[in-house]
Amino acid sequence: MTLKPATQAARFAIAPMMDWTDRHCRFLHRQLTRHALLYTEMVVADAAIHGDRERLLGFDASEHPVALQLGGSDPDKLAEAVRIARDFGYDEINLNVGCPSDRVQSGTFGACLMREPDLVARCIAAMKQASDVPVTVKCRIGVDEQDPEIALSGLARAVIAEGADAIWVHARKAWLEGLSPKENRDVPPLDYDRVHRLKQDYPNVFIGINGGIGDLYQALQHLNHVDGVMIGRAAYHNAQILADADRLIFGDDRGPVDWHAVCEAMMAHAESHIRGGGRLNHVTRHMVGLFQGVRGARRFRQILSTESTRPEAGPEVIARAFAEVDFSGLTAAA
């Protein structure tokens, strides 16, 4: 049996993060890495069916490869959402079985589905039938008092039986009772070994790992044990680390990122967004974490944080901010 990863890019992915990985964030990340698999924020199946589809599902063609993460627990609704998404041309569809927020608990989806592997399996079966691209799962190692050995194996066994193309595992439990969603990202201890063992149990299934991975060198270490690595907050708060992902992770040594070209691309993207009725800070809020430790970064952040919020702010603000950065000696790995 041959491994079937979501795409060739699944070796390294940027995690779906609510309120973070919108189309502007993904556009920025794509300027820094040609190959990484990018994920949308979670889109609830009901919203995809009844909401503003272009706003919720639309993306720039340059974002490829890009995956849509769906939330839901009704197989029929998820299948309908997949059929709708199919017209947008996503490279992968992912089911959220890991988010611990109150909103997803009230909707009976997200991490609480770790308790219902048979239901998750039915959802995957319905999504697979409706999809012409890989269908994957993102989950936790368990919730609340569950034994991660039993919970993760049970979920994996159920979804693999229905043809799930990959399983991405956030290597923490989710505590739905007693911890806030924010605390659930940090407080439960990481158990990378549990995810590594899952890969040993399923050598012919794509297994990816997520949770607390802070840089590309940690990612490379995990790739000795699993098929893919997904990073989240580290990539968002310091997007500059992505500038070396193509070389280190994918072996693509086509040279360092052209930061002048990044500036030009973000200005053009911002101009298009503003013409469509948007605000500059919708774009620039994702850029503030660039250039940590580089001379001029503080002024860069000040300009983006203050000037971008003005109602009349235009793309020239991005140019002024980039002009403050000392790029001499800056390498892609900086």
Side-chain angles (χ1 to χ4, degrees):
M1 182 177 178
T2 303
L3 277 176
K4 186 182 178 184
T7 69
Q8 292 300 313
R11 181 172 170 81
F12 181 70
I14 312 302
M17 292 175 283
M18 292 295 292
D19 300 320
W20 290 5
T21 53
D22 62 18
R23 65 179 69 191
H24 309 303
C25 175
R26 299 191 305 269
F27 187 87
L28 170 64
H29 287 174
R30 183 55 73 218
Q31 308 314 305
L32 306 179
T33 167
R34 303 176 184 93
H35 302 302
L37 177 62
L38 306 181
Y39 274 79
T40 69
E41 304 170 89
M42 181 187 69
V43 178
V44 177
D46 275 328
I49 295 168
H50 302 293
D52 182 341
R53 294 175 182 176
E54 179 56 38
R55 181 180 64 83
L56 291 167
L57 300 174
F59 62 91
D60 190 281
S62 67
E63 295 175 35
H64 286 294
V66 59
L68 168 67
Q69 186 180 69
L70 290 174
S73 59
D74 183 311
D76 293 334
K77 289 182 178 180
L78 284 164
E80 179 61 20
V82 169
R83 284 189 285 270
I84 292 166
R86 192 164 55 194
D87 293 337
F88 286 84
Y90 283 97
D91 299 287
E92 174 195 311
I93 307 292
N94 178 268
L95 179 62
N96 184 326
V97 190
C99 181
S101 78
D102 295 337
R103 183 160 68 92
V104 300
Q105 289 184 59
S106 64
T108 319
F109 54 92
C112 60
L113 287 174
M114 291 295 300
R115 300 191 185 106
E116 300 186 66
D118 291 340
L119 174 57
V120 177
R122 294 199 299 275
C123 291
I124 292 297
M127 293 168 70
K128 286 284 293 182
Q129 190 170 18
S131 179
D132 56 358
V133 297
V135 173
T136 69
V137 175
K138 188 171 187 290
C139 65
R140 295 278 183 138
I141 60 173
V143 296
D144 296 335
E145 299 298 337
Q146 283 186 321
D147 181 343
E149 297 299 325
I150 297 172
L152 184 57
S153 290
L155 182 82
R157 184 167 55 250
V159 299
I160 289 168
E162 295 298 341
D165 294 293
I167 302 173
W168 289 98
V169 187
H170 185 144
R172 285 187 173 96
K173 273 189 173 184
W175 286 93
L176 305 181
E177 301 291 337
L179 290 182
S180 69
K182 182 177 185 298
E183 290 170 327
N184 263 296
R185 294 195 293 265
D186 296 298
V187 175
L190 288 158
D191 190 353
Y192 294 137
D193 287 344
R194 178 65 192 95
V195 186
H196 296 169
R197 290 196 302 278
L198 183 69
K199 176 58 191 175
Q200 293 170 6
D201 293 339
Y202 293 98
N204 295 318
V205 176
F206 186 99
I207 304 296
I209 197 167
N210 171 232
I213 300 168
D215 58 47
L216 299 181
Y217 297 97
Q218 292 177 32
L220 285 169
Q221 290 300 310
H222 283 291
L223 287 171
N224 292 322
H225 305 281
V226 293
D227 303 298
V229 174
M230 180 182 279
I231 63 173
R233 283 170 293 162
Y236 186 87
H237 291 303
N238 185 13
Q240 189 180 336
I241 68 173
L242 299 178
D244 214 26
D246 290 349
R247 181 179 67 85
L248 286 177
I249 305 294
F250 297 98
D252 181 349
D253 196 13
R254 282 189 274 181
V257 166
D258 181 341
W259 291 105
H260 175 73
V262 172
C263 177
E264 293 291 327
M266 296 312 299
M267 289 176 66
H269 179 74
E271 183 175 14
S272 175
H273 178 61
I274 292 168
R275 280 202 310 268
R279 298 281 294 272
L280 179 64
N281 65 309
H282 298 163
V283 175
T284 57
R285 72 185 185 97
H286 302 294
M287 303 169 62
V288 175
L290 285 171
F291 309 124
Q292 292 184 25
V294 178
R295 184 178 300 173
R298 182 178 180 184
R299 182 62 182 145
F300 173 86
R301 292 192 295 271
Q302 287 175 337
I303 291 172
L304 291 187
S305 298
T306 58
E307 296 188 24
S308 294
T309 59
R310 296 171 183 167
E312 72 282 3
E316 67 279 357
V317 172
I318 296 174
R320 286 201 295 274
F322 268 79
E324 296 293 332
V325 179
D326 180 4
F327 291 103
S328 63
L330 178 66
T331 65

